[in-house]
Structure formats: C-alpha cells, structure tokens
Amino acid sequence: ELRFNRREIEFSRAISTQMACQPPVMRQERAFLSLLGDVRRYEFSQRNNKLLLQDRRGRTLIQLRKA
C-alpha cells in the first residue's frame, strides 16, 4: 500500500514473491524492503533527475533514477 501527499509518502505491507534467488540478491531485496518501511518523505531532484526517498528526519535512504 502506498500513501502520499505533497511532501510525505509511506509504504506499508510491501511483499515479494518469496522466490529463492542467490543469497546476495535475497539480502539486497530484504534491505530494500526494510528501507521502504522507514521512508516518510520524498523529493525530486531536478539537478540530477533523481527521486529521493527520505526518512522523517530528511535523510536520504534510497535514490532512484530513470533508466
């Protein structure tokens, strides 16, 4: 589930397929889903064309850019 407004965003109940992958890939997936649970704000950086997902203190946890 995703909830957002002008500056705030919250992800909840993130799920995955639970398919068995190589251990490094599984660790990466778990880390990403864990970080999503801490995201509370977002900002789009036009300077470098990235979506910044931040915690409630404004610390960037995840940076996404269009491929």
Side-chain angles (χ1 to χ4, degrees):
E1 183 177 340
L2 170 66
R3 291 183 296 238
F4 68 97
N5 62 35
R6 186 177 164 112
R7 296 284 299 162
E8 297 175 353
I9 190 167
E10 184 175 348
F11 298 89
S12 63
R13 297 192 299 259
I15 59 171
S16 65
T17 62
Q18 299 298 314
M19 290 182 63
C21 296
Q22 295 297 320
V25 175
M26 296 298 292
R27 284 191 296 275
Q28 182 179 16
E29 178 186 58
R30 280 192 301 275
F32 182 79
L33 293 176
S34 177
L35 284 174
L36 277 182
D38 293 335
V39 170
R40 294 295 178 271
R41 297 171 45 182
Y42 69 95
E43 177 181 323
F44 183 72
S45 172
Q46 292 184 353
R47 184 184 59 148
N48 55 17
N49 205 28
K50 291 183 180 180
L51 175 64
L52 307 176
L53 300 178
Q54 303 167 332
D55 66 10
R56 67 185 73 217
R57 292 184 176 142
R59 293 180 295 191
T60 299
L61 303 175
I62 301 170
Q63 294 184 35
L64 302 170
R65 66 176 173 85
K66 187 175 180 178

